[in-house]
């Protein structure tokens, strides 16, 4: 039975996409709807096709699939999500990029409410409130679907990896037996071929281990012990020295022997160091240098791995810790898991890891830095809050979306920060004047006074001798668009310390906040950045 207008209204009210609309906006969307019916097994649209319609499921279910690629040859269709009554898909019809859609297939006889993305966007252009509500809904839908895609992929690969590891172990043992002479003598050519095969099996086993760890890394507090970073660095250098010599890359160890101890799991931290060092060697040309340095703060040890290699482009640097991201150099070995796993390990040790390219000191290559809490003089019973040198920092969060404001505040409060939430630019400026915060996290599209105007007012105060406040832009608007608008309006550079696009993962937000606060604390005054 086809749903009538009253039924459609109820479906919309239950939908995450449209339940926040007022009656007038709801009527407008209902007028744009047309009914489409699909039998079970029929494909509604395919991944890569032009996105024209936003769909709401009236009844039935729709399977959403996407192609997963590991390496250059392996391609599989994987079910990412199933949309049922009231749920939406086809959101790319509301963006400037027309093709980033998943394949959609009706699992059973299904009735859809199809809305032209082009017509809906035209209405959004004349109704700012409608645009804001729809944009926020799209962000939430996409964020959840991305999380679901990653979880699905992690599950599929972990099951497959368990089945792969056993035969690989058998092959490795057989090759060891041959190379060890337990099955008779072999000549030099045979030994060379077998040794090469053994190394490839080791590489493959390492990749399988990484795949197993993307969904779960076990870090138990009971396994923590006091660790000497200098000893860990020496062992890691020994592990990667062979590949470095083959590539004619020099490894320089600048870690002092009296570096304070840290708490952690040695095998896990060695895994992080090996990953950073091997990556640095891999992407450094012949004759280059990889160096390891230490910086000590009151509560933390900062370990820095720098290279003189090819560096990381601006377009790639924010993706570098994503699972399965292998970068533009598709010829590089590996599945793109090492840095994502390193990030999980360091965060499980209550530290953080970040990347800078080019290296600030040399102007070339890349520098990875990870922080670990020092062992306190009082032993392991040091209060958790004292391990974070920026604990208690005052942060103003300005966002007109109450849900987003609450969630962002919760993320930050969980790390021990003092958070002051405001809902528009005027309140943000007043709060900055009142409490002189350590950091301002600023949305751009807000009522009464937007984030652009807040930045202009702050720059005016700085020009008159006022103190600059550190700023993180947290917006759904792309950075290049915001930068162009600001520079056209002011004829000056848009100054901020980080630009994050919603939705933002909690670890990424916290990492950026911690990095900026640590830097400002070190220099004593916010650094100007464009």
């Amino acid at each position: 039975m086809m749903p009538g207008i009253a039924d459609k209204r109820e479906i919309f009210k239950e939908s995450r996409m449209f339940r926040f609309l007022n009656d007038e906006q709801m009527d407008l969307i209902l007028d744009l709807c047309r009914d489409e019916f699909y039998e079970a097994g029929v494909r509604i649209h395919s991944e890569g096709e032009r996105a024209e319609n936003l769909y709401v499921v009236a009844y039935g279910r729709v399977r959403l699939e996407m192609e997963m690629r590991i390496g250059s040859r392996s391609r599989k269709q994987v079910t990412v999500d199933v949309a049922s009554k009231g749920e939406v898909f086809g959101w790319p019809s509301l963006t400037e990029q027309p093709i980033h859609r998943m394949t959609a297939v009706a699992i059973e006889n299904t009735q859809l409410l199809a809305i032209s993305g082009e017509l809906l966007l035209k209405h959004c252009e004349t109704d700012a409130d409608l645009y804001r509500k729809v944009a926020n809904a799209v962000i939430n839908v996409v964020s959840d679907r991305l999380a679901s895609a990653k979880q699905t992929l992690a599950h599929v690969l972990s099951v497959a990896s368990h089945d792969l590891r056993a035969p690989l172990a058998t092959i490795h043992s057989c090759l060891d037996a041959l190379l060890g002479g337990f099955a008779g003598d072999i000549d030099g050519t045979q030994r060379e071929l077998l040794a090469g095969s053994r190394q490839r099996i080791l590489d493959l086993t390492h990749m399988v281990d990484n795949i197993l760890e993307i969904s779960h890394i076990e870090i138990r507090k009971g396994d923590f012990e006091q660790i000497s970073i200098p000893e860990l660095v020496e062992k890691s250098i020994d592990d990667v020295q062979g590949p470095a010599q083959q590539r004619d890359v020099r490894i320089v160890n600048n870690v002092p022997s009296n570096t304070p101890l840290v708490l952690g799991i040695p095998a896990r931290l060695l895994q992080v160091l090996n990953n950073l060092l091997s990556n640095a060697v891999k992407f450094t040309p012949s004759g280059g240098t990889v160096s390891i340095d230490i910086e000590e703060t009151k509560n933390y040890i900062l370990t820095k791995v720098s290279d003189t290699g090819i560096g990381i482009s601006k377009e790639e640097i924010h993706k570098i810790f994503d699972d399965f991201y292998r970068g533009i150099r598709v010829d590089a070995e590996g599945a793109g898991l090492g840095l994502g796993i390193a990030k999980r390990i360091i965060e499980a040790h209550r530290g953080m890891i970040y990347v800078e390219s080019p290296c600030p000191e040399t102007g070339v290559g890349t520098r990875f830095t990870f922080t670990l809490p020092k062992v306190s003089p009082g032993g392991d019973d040091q209060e958790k809050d004292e391990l974070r040198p920026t604990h208690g920092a005052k942060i103003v969060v300005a966002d007109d979306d109450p849900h987003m404001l609450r969630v962002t505040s919760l993320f930050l409060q969980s790390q021990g920060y003092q958070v002051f939430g405001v809902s528009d630019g005027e309140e943000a400026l007043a709060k900055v004047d009142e409490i002189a915060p350590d950091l301002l996290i600023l949305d751009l599209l807000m009522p009464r006074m937007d984030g652009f105007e807040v930045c202009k007012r702050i720059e005016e105060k700085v020009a008159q001798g006022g103190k600059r406040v550190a700023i993180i832009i947290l917006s759904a608007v792309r950075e290049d668009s915001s930068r162009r608008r600001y520079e056209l309006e002011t004829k000056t550079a848009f100054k901020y310390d980080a630009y994050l696009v919603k939705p933002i993962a909690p670890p990424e937000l916290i990492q950026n906040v911690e990095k900026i606060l640590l830097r400002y604390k070190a220099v004593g005054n916010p650094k100007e950045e464009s």
Side-chain angles (χ1 to χ4, degrees):
M1 179 178 177
M2 297 286 186
I5 291 295
D7 298 320
K8 292 178 183 178
R9 183 181 292 277
E10 289 305 312
I11 292 171
F12 274 36
K13 285 182 178 180
E14 294 175 7
S15 168
R16 288 184 60 201
M17 189 80 185
F18 299 113
R19 64 188 177 194
F20 301 108
L21 303 185
N22 58 41
D23 290 340
E24 182 180 351
Q25 292 167 336
M26 189 79 73
D27 289 339
L28 185 151
I29 301 297
L30 286 170
D31 288 341
L32 297 179
C33 280
R34 68 176 187 275
D35 298 306
E36 293 186 5
F37 179 81
Y38 295 88
E39 294 183 350
V42 174
R43 183 172 301 223
I44 300 162
H45 58 63
S46 298
E47 183 177 359
E49 291 180 348
R50 182 174 180 80
E52 295 179 350
N53 298 316
L54 177 71
Y55 294 99
V56 183
V57 180
Y59 68 80
R61 292 187 302 156
V62 175
R63 181 175 70 245
L64 301 176
E65 302 175 341
M66 65 186 300
E67 183 180 79
M68 297 294 186
R69 299 182 60 181
I70 303 297
S72 59
R73 296 183 180 87
S74 178
R75 302 184 183 190
K76 297 291 183 183
Q77 285 294 125
V78 177
T79 298
V80 174
D81 204 356
V82 174
S84 53
K85 182 179 178 181
E87 296 184 321
V88 300
F89 61 95
W91 58 267
S93 62
L94 303 178
T95 70
E96 295 177 359
Q97 299 295 330
I99 61 171
H100 294 293
R101 71 189 312 175
M102 298 180 187
T103 296
V105 180
I107 299 176
E108 54 195 46
N109 292 345
T110 299
Q111 176 72 26
L112 300 178
L113 306 178
I115 306 165
S116 166
E118 182 180 357
L119 294 178
L120 181 54
L121 281 175
K122 286 183 179 179
H123 286 292
C124 287
E125 290 173 358
T126 59
D127 186 341
D129 182 58
L130 175 63
Y131 174 79
R132 182 180 65 81
K133 290 175 180 177
V134 170
N136 284 336
V138 167
I139 289 170
N140 290 330
V141 169
V142 174
S143 177
D144 289 349
R145 203 144 284 161
L146 177 61
S148 178
K150 287 186 174 181
Q151 289 170 3
T152 300
L153 181 58
H155 175 71
V156 170
L157 291 175
S158 64
V159 171
S161 298
H162 278 292
D163 294 337
L164 282 171
R165 209 181 189 292
L168 288 175
T170 301
I171 296 170
H172 183 260
S173 297
C174 291
L175 291 172
D176 279 345
L178 292 172
L179 287 167
F182 296 100
D185 295 334
I186 55 177
D187 61 33
T189 301
Q190 292 169 335
R191 181 174 296 279
E192 183 179 343
L193 291 172
L194 289 171
S197 298
R198 180 181 181 276
Q199 183 58 51
R200 296 307 294 162
I201 290 294
L202 283 173
D203 293 340
L204 187 54
T205 303
H206 177 66
M207 186 183 299
V208 169
D209 289 342
N210 279 345
I211 292 172
L212 285 169
E213 289 183 332
I214 62 174
S215 58
H216 176 68
I217 292 179
E218 187 177 17
I219 302 286
R220 296 177 299 185
K221 188 174 180 181
D223 295 333
F224 277 43
E225 60 185 79
Q226 296 187 6
I227 300 171
S228 165
I229 289 289
E231 292 179 5
L232 211 62
V233 167
E234 286 181 7
K235 182 161 190 339
S236 183
I237 291 175
D238 288 342
D239 290 343
V240 301
Q241 194 65 258
Q245 290 175 350
Q246 291 175 4
R247 297 181 60 87
D248 189 27
V249 173
R250 187 167 63 102
I251 300 179
V252 179
N253 183 0
N254 296 320
V255 178
S257 59
N258 60 348
T259 299
L261 300 175
V262 298
L263 283 176
I265 301 175
R268 288 300 190 180
L269 295 180
L270 182 63
Q271 185 179 356
V272 173
L273 270 171
N274 282 353
N275 180 272
L276 297 181
L277 281 175
S278 61
N279 277 351
V281 169
K282 185 189 305 180
F283 294 110
T284 298
S286 176
T289 300
V290 173
S291 59
I292 307 99
D293 297 89
I294 290 292
E295 179 182 339
E296 183 179 346
T297 66
K298 180 180 178 182
N299 296 307
Y300 277 79
I301 298 296
L302 283 67
T303 304
K304 304 179 181 184
V305 177
S306 309
D307 63 58
T308 57
I310 61 175
I312 305 170
S313 69
K314 183 179 179 181
E315 292 75 20
E316 288 188 281
I317 200 161
H318 69 285
K319 306 174 186 177
I320 206 71
F321 292 103
D322 291 351
D323 292 335
F324 305 105
Y325 186 75
R326 297 173 66 225
I328 293 173
R329 288 180 56 95
V330 294
D331 60 322
E333 297 176 356
L337 296 171
L339 288 176
I341 291 171
K343 184 171 183 286
R344 286 176 170 84
I345 292 173
I346 293 300
E347 288 175 350
H349 281 74
R350 289 154 61 187
M352 58 176 283
I353 184 170
Y354 55 92
V355 60
E356 298 166 283
S357 186
C359 176
E361 276 76 23
T362 64
V364 298
T366 303
R367 182 172 74 187
F368 283 89
T369 302
F370 64 87
T371 68
L372 293 169
K374 293 195 295 189
V375 173
S376 64
D380 296 349
D381 295 329
Q382 181 183 20
E383 287 294 321
K384 179 179 179 180
D385 290 341
E386 291 180 357
L387 291 173
R388 188 174 293 276
T390 57
H391 173 79
K394 294 182 291 186
I395 301 176
V396 173
V397 180
D399 199 312
D400 65 317
D401 183 339
H403 178 71
M404 191 69 188
L405 178 62
R406 182 171 181 272
V407 170
T408 305
S409 299
L410 286 174
F411 291 162
L412 298 170
Q413 288 168 348
S414 71
Q415 303 300 305
Y417 298 122
Q418 301 179 63
V419 181
F420 305 85
V422 297
S423 58
D424 62 54
E426 289 185 2
E427 293 180 11
L429 283 177
K431 186 60 69 173
V432 168
D433 289 339
E434 176 188 349
I435 68 170
D438 300 288
L439 177 64
L440 169 62
I441 299 180
L442 185 65
D443 188 16
L444 290 179
L445 302 182
M446 297 184 292
R448 291 209 298 175
M449 181 188 294
D450 62 22
F452 294 102
E453 187 62 29
V454 171
C455 291
K456 293 174 191 174
R457 300 284 184 91
I458 289 175
E459 285 303 312
E460 290 171 0
K461 291 182 179 180
V462 171
Q464 297 170 4
K467 183 180 178 181
R468 182 177 300 282
V469 60
I471 296 175
I472 291 179
I473 302 295
L474 181 57
S475 173
V477 182
R478 294 189 311 177
E479 182 176 8
D480 54 351
S481 299
S482 299
R483 187 186 296 274
R484 282 197 301 270
R485 171 180 164 177
Y486 187 90
E487 292 176 355
L488 283 172
E489 291 179 357
T490 66
K491 309 300 181 187
T492 60
F494 195 7
K495 296 181 179 179
Y496 47 80
D497 299 275
Y499 195 110
L500 307 178
V501 179
K502 299 176 181 176
I504 184 75
E508 186 177 353
L509 172 64
I510 292 165
Q511 175 182 323
N512 277 273
V513 168
E514 183 78 359
K515 177 182 175 182
I516 290 168
L517 290 175
L518 281 171
R519 185 174 71 230
Y520 289 176
K521 185 172 183 179
V523 301
N525 186 46
K527 175 184 177 183
E528 294 188 16
E529 292 189 1
S530 59

